[in-house]
Amino acid sequence: MLDDLRNMLGAGAVDDSPEGLASHTHDWYPGALLRDRMGTPVPGPSVVVRPRDTGEVAAVLEWAQVTSTPVVPFGGGSSVVRGIEPDGAVVIDLERLNSISEVDEKSGLVTAGAGVTGPALRDHLAESGYLLGHEPQSVDISTVGGWVATRACGQLSAKYGGIEDLVRGLEAVLPGGRIVRTKTAPRRSTGPDLAGLLIGSEGALGVVTEVTLRVFPLPTERADLCLRFEHMTEGVQGCRVLARSDLGPTMVRLYDAEDAALFLRHHPDEPMGPLLLCSFDGDDSDLRRERAAELIDGTSGNDDLVAHWWEHRNDAVEEFRKVMAGEGLLGPHGIVDTIEVAGTWTVLRDLYHSVKEGLSEAAGLVGCHVSHVYPDGACLYFTMGSMCKSDAEAEEVDRKWWEITMRRTLDAGGTISHHHGVGRVRAGWIEEELGEWFEVLRLIKKAIDPK
Amino acid sequence: MLDDLRNMLGAGAVDDSPEGLASHTHDWYPGALLRDRMGTPVPGPSVVVRPRDTGEVAAVLEWAQVTSTPVVPFGGGSSVVRGIEPDGAVVIDLERLNSISEVDEKSGLVTAGAGVTGPALRDHLAESGYLLGHEPQSVDISTVGGWVATRACGQLSAKYGGIEDLVRGLEAVLPGGRIVRTKTAPRRSTGPDLAGLLIGSEGALGVVTEVTLRVFPLPTERADLCLRFEHMTEGVQGCRVLARSDLGPTMVRLYDAEDAALFLRHHPDEPMGPLLLCSFDGDDSDLRRERAAELIDGTSGNDDLVAHWWEHRNDAVEEFRKVMAGEGLLGPHGIVDTIEVAGTWTVLRDLYHSVKEGLSEAAGLVGCHVSHVYPDGACLYFTMGSMCKSDAEAEEVDRKWWEITMRRTLDAGGTISHHHGVGRVRAGWIEEELGEWFEVLRLIKKAIDPK
């Protein structure tokens, strides 16, 4: 196998070093990090290859089909749902697919290789005065290809949408090595949305190699608004009227009392209770902020907290890493996990209470925030933490959190994943989520990937 | 066959009357209307069935698979691209799937059967103070199922999006009778977008039976803006900056000189030349209109023309019918057709000039308007008319228009259909449009519909 791959890609592109394998063994799934902490890491890949271009990706996939070798595409490895666990497979690390085109300023588009990282793209765009608008918490450790493959959605989705709204053109290699390209177009009615099959396919239907994305001018001004509520229900109502208005917020987040306490842990003088943060940018930001303050029935809060959020919005990644390394506030056997689900405004209240109640019985602390809003519903993002007596207990606790959240979400009419994807951790519930579509997906998978 | 269907659905649901067959023989494709005018209509269906519910649709599709009988789903029959031409097949008319739910005001959603017509839905929503926002010119003669099956897009898409943005949940019957349902959710990352396979499938992958759609509060105020330009290029530039702004227009249309002349034919005192119409509604409409007027480098026009457009925006349907009946301004052998294509702003200028130039040599009159705008591009909507010496010549002229427009669009890097769909009229160019995806679509079709 190694000889095959070396002949195909050159020796420098084939890595079976202990370090190479170790760094591609798993993603940021807490269960996998726990296994590391326990000294019993999950089994890694057999080899890591780093193709230089789409043609080489195609060659690897053709070879994989002929030899019936399982392969796993790898971007930043920042999934948190057991999306990467190669277990003997060949990992295709896409880091060398790192070219970025000049910004097409006329159409507001940029084309980037799947391996381009968040920071590389951000810096490149900023040079021309643009931003992507896709800002997941993992933006510093994830890649363009990963965003598309997992159907990611950033924290500024209220303005910029999810990755599916940003992708305007796409190149991918399907199993067996077939290269497909979706022409860049603002819209089309030329049959079903085929590129949409790859957005969220998590590697099952092909490897995304290049993407053309919308970009937006860097905003020059920003107006922040912070509101407080006595009860979460009033805050949710506030999110709803804002999402249904024409005011165009860039970011909307509502923390429940427990999540607000977490967010405000370095602000001991702030009052407790549900907290709404939102920002407006672009034309007439101040006016729109004003209108939102009038529209939403809440108490004025400290607007500086919104700037604090902007500054520290991705700190959770490092804090998560610390806890899972046994170095955080939850002690040597601490466990922390996050699970995001979504629902229409109609089911959201029951969904929130049901999941929160269930998790509260199974975790030391549970916070929840509304992290993404839409005219018809929202994402509920739960964060759970527990101090455990052993790592084995931590494993069991995490397993329970997933069981509770998935079961109660399905029962309440919610959808089991908003933007983290399915991975192996949600695999047990996906058939119930998709219903008869699950079997259709199986048929499509078989048609595209007969082996 | 008739006995099978009568046993399955009851005699009242099976129609082989001459009138029933005649009214399901074709859509509004000019070539088919020409055939009527020539007295040699295209061959009709063998029978029309009208199932009462999803279960009956499933029964028909199961029977069709077992007996290898071709079936054609039928909504309003308002396609203009030869989407309906049953030619001996069994037509499934979905008109009895006409239930509409109460508006879910909390989430802004309504659920409607595939056979619900535009006017029925509009009236139903208006009673509760809502609108759908999907306003194709054909809205009075088309159906919910047809909008989804053809990936339609209305004239107010700048604000409300295309049908793919409005569909939040969907029920369909796949070939063989499998019923699939997509749960209503604001967003999800639970794998690829499977419902997206049916949006634009034009009946090839299944029959849409019920759809849950976003609805919006009826706007209370509207601010209109009309601007004039010396050259089309300046107008396109104006559309572009407006589409890239945060001003949120509801409707944006830019007519080139020839299309403006058509639009203004009852306004002889208006100056000629490219004409931009746009409207803003919702919060701060006047302010946003003002900002747009400042932003766009054009000359103030007559804002009342925008109200004129709103009032007469769907008149073209009746005018088209008249011309094709040989009763219009183009005489007994007149031919008129419309072809919409799309492209990024980067290719739009060349696309416009190339298609316009080509068509000008093949038509008595050619007008074009930018009918839908996006941050990254726009739709060019061409209208062609010719007085011909015979209907046979008219057929030939129409064929040439399609050849010219498709060829030049592909060569200029545009996409061959924006919102009318593919049908049989674009079938000859779809493989070039889709590239390798065409073969993948064939594989998916075979997986979902093995017969």
Side-chain angles (χ1 to χ4, degrees):
Chain A
M1 177 167 79
L2 290 181
D3 286 346
D4 279 2
L5 291 167
R6 286 191 182 114
N7 287 337
M8 201 185 305
L9 307 173
V14 179
D15 182 1
D16 63 345
S17 70
E19 305 74 37
L21 301 183
S23 61
H24 294 80
T25 292
H26 59 70
D27 55 17
W28 288 57
Y29 166 57
L33 298 173
L34 265 184
R35 291 283 299 269
D36 281 354
R37 199 164 83 190
M38 294 162 84
T40 54
V42 296
S46 54
V47 61
V48 176
V49 297
R50 295 186 178 85
R52 260 160 300 242
D53 55 33
T54 302
E56 288 194 350
V57 174
V60 174
L61 290 193
E62 189 184 350
W63 165 86
Q65 189 173 77
V66 169
T67 58
S68 297
T69 308
V71 292
V72 174
F74 190 101
S78 65
S79 166
V80 289
V81 293
R82 219 178 151 194
I84 301 285
E85 205 179 289
D87 192 3
V90 172
V91 160
I92 306 178
D93 187 323
L94 298 158
E95 67 178 17
R96 291 187 181 175
L97 274 61
N98 61 356
S99 70
I100 318 180
S101 76
E102 287 301 296
V103 174
D104 173 352
E105 302 206 38
K106 205 158 187 182
S107 299
L109 295 169
V110 72
T111 299
V116 170
T117 63
L121 187 55
R122 181 173 50 210
D123 293 350
H124 179 88
L125 294 177
E127 276 173 29
S128 324
Y130 288 88
L131 57 71
L132 176 64
H134 181 68
E135 285 263 355
Q137 263 189 342
S138 64
V139 65
D140 289 331
I141 54 169
S142 57
T143 61
V144 167
W147 301 337
V148 175
T150 60
R151 212 174 188 88
C153 187
Q155 300 178 94
L156 313 183
S157 67
K159 176 165 183 176
Y160 301 108
I163 196 70
E164 70 278 18
D165 300 305
L166 299 170
V167 172
R168 299 284 94 194
L170 179 148
E171 180 194 74
V173 183
L174 304 193
R178 185 198 302 274
I179 299 170
V180 289
R181 291 187 183 88
T182 301
K183 200 191 292 191
T184 299
R187 189 195 190 263
R188 55 167 71 79
S189 64
T190 54
D193 178 17
L194 296 165
L197 283 179
L198 286 166
I199 303 175
S201 65
E202 302 187 20
L205 299 177
V207 178
V208 175
T209 47
E210 191 178 88
V211 186
T212 298
L213 295 158
R214 275 191 184 164
V215 299
F216 303 84
L218 280 165
T220 48
E221 45 175 332
R222 196 184 77 215
D224 294 334
L225 174 66
C226 174
L227 292 171
R228 302 188 157 281
F229 304 91
E230 199 171 336
H231 302 291
M232 186 64 172
T233 310
E234 296 152 13
V236 170
Q237 163 74 355
C239 287
R240 193 174 76 81
V241 299
L242 183 54
R244 295 282 284 282
S245 75
D246 294 322
L247 296 173
T250 300
M251 179 279 287
V252 180
R253 290 169 87 81
L254 170 72
Y255 298 87
D256 73 1
E258 291 73 20
D259 228 29
L262 268 175
F263 175 70
L264 296 172
R265 65 193 177 285
H266 304 305
H267 300 262
D269 298 338
E270 286 288 333
M272 293 291 110
L275 185 70
L276 175 72
L277 309 181
C278 51
S279 291
F280 301 82
D281 60 34
D283 297 330
D284 302 309
S285 308
D286 287 327
L287 174 71
R288 288 183 286 132
R289 179 205 166 281
E290 213 48 54
R291 289 267 190 281
E294 287 162 24
L295 187 68
I296 302 171
D297 194 13
T299 311
S300 288
N302 174 3
D303 290 344
D304 292 343
L305 291 174
V306 186
H308 176 78
W309 176 82
W310 279 92
E311 197 180 334
H312 295 281
R313 66 189 187 277
N314 300 332
D315 289 1
V317 174
E318 178 54 19
E319 287 161 15
F320 170 75
R321 199 200 57 75
K322 258 194 183 163
V323 169
M324 291 314 301
E327 299 158 5
L329 287 174
L330 296 175
H333 302 296
I335 171 84
V336 64
D337 207 343
T338 59
I339 309 183
E340 24 64 67
V341 298
T344 61
W345 296 114
T346 311
V347 308
L348 209 71
R349 186 188 167 143
D350 285 351
L351 179 60
Y352 168 73
H353 285 295
S354 171
V355 174
K356 185 85 194 275
E357 192 184 278
L359 287 172
S360 296
E361 288 167 17
L365 58 94
V366 187
C368 176
H369 62 273
V370 172
S371 59
H372 302 71
V373 301
Y374 304 88
D376 53 337
C379 171
L380 294 176
Y381 194 107
F382 292 92
T383 302
M384 295 73 67
S386 278
M387 299 179 80
C388 297
K389 295 200 184 68
S390 69
D391 289 338
E393 187 195 332
E395 264 191 326
E396 179 57 20
V397 162
D398 189 42
R399 203 187 51 71
K400 268 196 193 142
W401 292 343
W402 278 99
E403 248 181 52
I404 290 165
T405 309
M406 296 295 95
R407 182 72 265 139
R408 292 186 175 219
T409 297
L410 287 165
D411 290 347
T415 189
I416 61 169
S417 180
H418 176 271
H419 63 276
H420 283 173
V422 179
R424 295 193 192 195
V425 76
R426 281 186 170 102
W429 293 276
I430 194 67
E431 188 166 351
E432 187 173 346
E433 166 79 22
L434 296 181
E436 278 285 314
W437 275 121
F438 183 78
E439 176 60 15
V440 179
L441 183 56
R442 210 187 55 78
L443 292 172
I444 292 171
K445 163 79 175 161
K446 207 176 156 196
I448 293 181
D449 186 13
K451 283 207 176 179
Chain B
M1 178 166 79
L2 290 180
D3 286 346
D4 279 2
L5 291 168
R6 286 191 183 115
N7 287 337
M8 201 186 304
L9 307 173
V14 180
D15 181 1
D16 64 345
S17 70
E19 305 74 38
L21 301 183
S23 62
H24 294 81
T25 292
H26 58 71
D27 55 17
W28 288 58
Y29 166 57
L33 299 173
L34 265 184
R35 291 282 300 268
D36 281 353
R37 199 164 82 189
M38 294 161 84
T40 54
V42 296
S46 54
V47 61
V48 176
V49 297
R50 295 186 178 85
R52 260 160 299 244
D53 55 33
T54 302
E56 289 194 351
V57 174
V60 174
L61 290 193
E62 188 184 350
W63 166 86
Q65 188 173 77
V66 169
T67 58
S68 296
T69 308
V71 292
V72 174
F74 190 100
S78 65
S79 166
V80 289
V81 293
R82 220 179 151 194
I84 301 285
E85 206 179 288
D87 192 3
V90 172
V91 160
I92 306 177
D93 187 323
L94 299 158
E95 67 178 17
R96 290 187 181 175
L97 275 61
N98 61 357
S99 70
I100 317 180
S101 76
E102 288 301 296
V103 174
D104 173 353
E105 302 206 38
K106 205 158 187 183
S107 299
L109 295 169
V110 72
T111 299
V116 170
T117 63
L121 186 55
R122 181 173 50 212
D123 294 349
H124 179 88
L125 294 177
E127 276 173 30
S128 325
Y130 288 88
L131 57 71
L132 176 63
H134 181 68
E135 285 262 355
Q137 264 189 341
S138 63
V139 65
D140 289 331
I141 54 169
S142 57
T143 61
V144 167
W147 301 338
V148 175
T150 60
R151 212 173 188 88
C153 187
Q155 300 177 95
L156 313 183
S157 66
K159 175 165 183 176
Y160 302 107
I163 196 71
E164 70 278 19
D165 300 305
L166 299 171
V167 172
R168 299 284 94 194
L170 180 148
E171 180 195 74
V173 183
L174 303 193
R178 185 198 302 273
I179 300 170
V180 289
R181 290 186 183 89
T182 301
K183 201 191 293 190
T184 299
R187 189 195 191 262
R188 55 168 71 80
S189 64
T190 54
D193 178 18
L194 295 164
L197 283 178
L198 286 166
I199 303 175
S201 65
E202 302 188 20
L205 300 178
V207 178
V208 175
T209 47
E210 190 178 88
V211 187
T212 299
L213 295 158
R214 274 190 185 164
V215 299
F216 303 84
L218 280 165
T220 49
E221 46 175 331
R222 196 184 77 215
D224 294 334
L225 174 66
C226 174
L227 292 172
R228 302 189 157 280
F229 304 91
E230 199 171 336
H231 302 290
M232 186 63 173
T233 310
E234 296 151 14
V236 170
Q237 163 73 356
C239 288
R240 193 174 75 81
V241 298
L242 183 53
R244 296 281 284 281
S245 76
D246 294 322
L247 296 173
T250 300
M251 179 279 287
V252 180
R253 289 170 86 80
L254 170 72
Y255 298 87
D256 73 1
E258 291 73 20
D259 228 29
L262 268 174
F263 175 70
L264 296 172
R265 65 193 177 285
H266 304 305
H267 300 262
D269 298 338
E270 286 288 333
M272 293 291 111
L275 186 69
L276 175 72
L277 310 181
C278 50
S279 291
F280 301 82
D281 61 34
D283 298 329
D284 302 308
S285 309
D286 287 327
L287 174 71
R288 288 183 287 133
R289 179 205 166 280
E290 214 49 54
R291 289 266 190 283
E294 287 162 24
L295 187 68
I296 302 171
D297 194 13
T299 311
S300 288
N302 175 3
D303 290 344
D304 292 342
L305 291 174
V306 186
H308 177 79
W309 176 82
W310 279 92
E311 198 180 333
H312 295 281
R313 67 189 187 277
N314 300 331
D315 289 1
V317 174
E318 178 54 19
E319 287 161 15
F320 171 75
R321 199 201 56 76
K322 260 194 182 163
V323 169
M324 291 314 302
E327 299 158 5
L329 288 174
L330 296 175
H333 302 296
I335 171 84
V336 64
D337 207 344
T338 58
I339 310 183
E340 24 64 67
V341 298
T344 61
W345 295 114
T346 311
V347 308
L348 209 72
R349 186 188 167 145
D350 284 351
L351 179 60
Y352 168 73
H353 286 294
S354 171
V355 174
K356 184 84 194 273
E357 192 184 278
L359 287 172
S360 296
E361 288 168 17
L365 58 93
V366 187
C368 177
H369 62 273
V370 172
S371 58
H372 302 71
V373 301
Y374 304 88
D376 53 337
C379 171
L380 294 176
Y381 193 107
F382 292 91
T383 302
M384 295 74 66
S386 278
M387 299 179 79
C388 297
K389 295 200 184 68
S390 68
D391 289 338
E393 188 195 331
E395 264 191 326
E396 179 57 19
V397 162
D398 188 42
R399 203 187 51 71
K400 269 197 194 142
W401 292 343
W402 279 99
E403 248 181 52
I404 290 165
T405 309
M406 296 295 95
R407 182 72 265 137
R408 291 186 176 220
T409 298
L410 287 165
D411 290 347
T415 189
I416 61 169
S417 180
H418 175 271
H419 63 277
H420 283 173
V422 179
R424 295 193 191 194
V425 76
R426 281 186 169 102
W429 294 276
I430 194 68
E431 188 167 353
E432 186 173 346
E433 167 79 21
L434 297 181
E436 279 286 314
W437 275 121
F438 184 78
E439 176 61 16
V440 178
L441 183 56
R442 210 187 55 79
L443 292 173
I444 291 171
K445 163 79 176 161
K446 207 176 155 196
I448 292 181
D449 186 13
K451 283 208 178 180

